[in-house]
Amino acid sequence: MISKRVSELLCSTAGYPLAREYDIKIPGAVNLASNENPYGPSPAVLRALKRELKLSGLYPDPRATKLKQAIGGYLGVGTDCIAIGNGSDELMDLVCKAFVDQGDRVLIPLPTFAMYELSCVPYGGKPVFYKLPNFEWCTDELARAAKNTKLVFLGRPNNPTGNCLSLDGLRELLKVGAIIVVDEAYVEFAEDSVAKLAAKRKNLIVLRTLSKAFGLAGLRVGYAVGNPETIKILERLRAPFNVNRLAQVAAVAALRDQRYMRRVVARIKNGRAYIRRELAKLGFKVLPSDANFLMVDVSPLEIDAPGLCDFLVKRKIFVRDLSDFRGAGPNYVRITVGTPQQNKRLVGALKKLKGGR
Ligand SMILES: Cc1ncc(COP(=O)(O)O)c(C=O)c1O
C-alpha cells in the first residue's frame, strides 16, 4: 500500500511547473523559458564525452574522485566538503531525506523554485511559505519567519526574482539556528558565493550545479558543499552510482575549461543588460537580476502573463509564464537570456506588441 506521506503528496496541488512548450522542437523556435545556457558546453566537454563513450559498459567511479578534486580546486574547499548529485535536484531530495522529519517546518520564500517544496513534502516536511515583499529580501522578516523551522531553502540568486539576500542578511539568518540550504545554481552570473563558508558552518549547506554557467543541464551534475560531517551523511544516503560516467568526465572537462565558462557568462551578462534596457524602454517593469534570466512585469503594456506568452508563442518565442508559480501573480514572466540573435528577436517581437496597441 502507498505510504500516507506519499498519498498526501499525490492529493496536493504541488507539482513542478513545466514550461508549456517544454521540449517542443519546432524548427526556428527560440526557447527562453528554461534557464538553459544557449551556448552549451565547452568543446573540450564534447571531446571528453567522445573519448568516454566506449567505456559506457563500465560502472562509473562511485566516489567521483576526479570530479570532487576538480570541484575542490574550483572552489578552494576540501573534497571531504563535497557531495555529488544527479543534478542539484537530487541533492535537495537527499538534504530533506537527511534532515526533515515528519511535521518539521520548512521555510520557503516565495516566489521560488518549485523543487524546494517538492523535495521536503515526501519526507513529511510542512512548507511554511513567506512571500517576499515586493519581491525583495528583508532580513528581519525572513529571520522572524525562520524561527521554529527546521530548514530554510534560499535561492541565491533566487529563481525567478533573480535577486540575492545580502551576505549580512545571510549571516543573520544563520544565527536563527535552522539548517540553511543556499541554492547557488546561478551564482556564476552573480557576485559572491558562500560555498567556502558552508565548508566551515554546521548549519549551512550550499547547492551548486553544472547545468547553468557550464551548460551541462542534459547530463545532470550538481554538488553540495558543507562541513565534512554533513557531507558524510549525504554520501551515506545517495545511491552508489548516482552520477553516470559520461556526466562525471564532462563535468571534469568543463571545470578544466573555466576560460570558456567565463566567456559565456560575460556574453550572457551583456545580453541580460541589453534585454533589461530594451524592455524598460518599451515600458515593461524589469526586476534587477544577478542570474541568466529576468523577471518582468508585463502589466504596464495592458496585457497579462498568459496573454504575452500567447503573443510570443505565435512568433515561436517561448518565455516562462509565471502565473502558475506560487506567489508570482498573473502579471509576471521570466525570460532566459539567449544569444544576441535570440535576444534581438525577442525585443523585435515585443516592439511589435507595443506598436500594435
Ligand atoms: C534555482 C534552481 N536550482 C536548481 C535547479 C536545478 O539544477 P540541476 O539541473 O542541477 O538539477 C534549477 C533549474 O532550473 C534552478 O532554477
Side-chain angles (χ1 to χ4, degrees):
M1 286 296 268
I2 196 164
S3 80
K4 196 161 161 284
R5 276 177 296 124
V6 173
S7 59
E8 267 173 30
L9 173 71
L10 295 179
C11 290
S12 82
T13 53
Y16 190 90
L18 286 172
R20 272 191 297 179
E21 286 75 23
Y22 188 77
D23 212 22
I24 291 183
K25 303 280 182 282
I26 303 171
V30 174
N31 182 14
L32 304 178
S34 310
N35 292 348
E36 290 155 343
N37 184 329
Y39 298 101
S42 145
V45 168
L46 303 182
R47 287 194 295 273
L49 283 170
K50 221 169 166 185
R51 283 194 300 272
E52 196 70 10
L53 260 181
K54 53 183 168 302
L55 298 178
S56 295
L58 306 179
Y59 281 106
D61 173 6
R63 294 186 186 82
T65 308
K66 283 191 186 144
L67 178 52
K68 282 191 183 177
Q69 283 165 351
I71 293 168
Y74 174 49
L75 299 183
V77 301
T79 53
D80 57 345
C81 298
I82 301 163
I84 314 288
N86 193 273
S88 51
D89 285 352
E90 186 192 20
L91 291 155
M92 288 167 208
D93 178 76
L94 289 178
V95 164
C96 291
K97 198 177 197 174
F99 297 107
V100 175
D101 271 319
Q102 185 73 34
D104 278 347
R105 291 152 51 85
V106 176
L107 182 66
I108 301 178
L110 292 180
T112 198
F113 188 46
M115 284 307 296
Y116 306 154
E117 179 182 354
L118 292 176
S119 305
C120 74
V121 170
Y123 298 103
K126 296 283 167 238
V128 175
F129 296 115
Y130 158 72
K131 196 159 182 302
L132 296 174
N134 298 319
F135 306 116
E136 280 164 12
W137 294 94
C138 170
T139 306
D140 294 347
E141 274 190 16
L142 192 64
R144 253 197 309 280
K147 283 211 174 104
N148 303 318
T149 63
K150 177 74 180 284
L151 192 138
V152 179
F153 275 110
L154 198 72
R156 194 172 182 276
N158 184 46
N159 173 8
T161 57
N163 54 5
C164 295
L165 174 68
S166 69
L167 210 49
D168 285 345
L170 179 62
R171 289 211 168 92
E172 282 303 307
L173 195 61
L174 283 167
K175 288 183 195 159
V176 174
I179 298 164
I180 312 294
V181 181
V182 174
D183 179 358
E184 292 192 345
Y186 300 96
V187 79
E188 281 89 355
F189 304 100
E191 299 303 320
D192 59 350
S193 161
V194 291
K196 274 192 164 173
L197 190 62
K200 289 182 245 156
R201 295 288 299 241
K202 265 206 155 150
N203 66 330
L204 175 62
I205 301 170
V206 167
L207 304 182
R208 304 271 295 250
T209 181
L210 278 92
S211 296
K212 308 298 176 181
F214 289 97
L216 296 188
L219 287 171
R220 318 300 302 124
V221 186
Y223 52 97
V225 186
N227 77 85
E229 277 171 49
T230 305
I231 293 302
K232 238 183 236 161
I233 299 166
L234 300 181
E235 286 284 298
R236 281 288 295 274
L237 291 175
R238 71 171 174 83
F241 302 110
N242 61 334
V243 180
N244 74 69
R245 171 175 286 283
L246 295 175
Q248 289 192 33
V249 296
V252 170
L255 287 158
R256 283 188 185 146
D257 191 2
Q258 284 171 41
R259 262 184 53 191
Y260 174 86
M261 182 274 283
R262 279 194 289 273
R263 218 169 38 236
V264 162
V265 165
R267 281 187 205 158
I268 290 173
K269 283 179 166 181
N270 284 339
R272 182 173 77 193
Y274 165 78
I275 296 178
R276 184 150 190 240
R277 201 172 50 241
E278 293 301 315
L279 266 57
K281 278 193 222 160
L282 293 174
F284 292 103
K285 191 169 161 249
V286 188
L287 274 60
S289 171
D290 287 323
N292 67 340
F293 53 81
L294 290 154
M295 183 166 164
V296 182
D297 178 2
V298 302
S299 63
L301 269 77
E302 290 171 12
I303 194 166
D304 61 8
L308 183 113
C309 291
D310 285 344
F311 175 87
L312 289 175
V313 164
K314 287 189 193 121
R315 286 148 187 86
K316 296 192 199 171
I317 300 170
F318 308 136
V319 302
R320 190 68 175 78
D321 175 359
L322 294 179
S323 57
D324 61 352
F325 254 59
R326 223 187 253 286
N331 295 327
Y332 286 86
V333 298
R334 188 194 66 201
I335 300 174
T336 308
V337 178
T339 61
Q341 296 90 317
Q342 292 173 332
N343 301 338
K344 270 196 194 126
R345 219 171 112 188
L346 169 84
V347 169
L350 293 175
K351 279 182 180 161
K352 284 203 182 105
L353 171 78
K354 170 132 182 171
R357 277 160 190 263

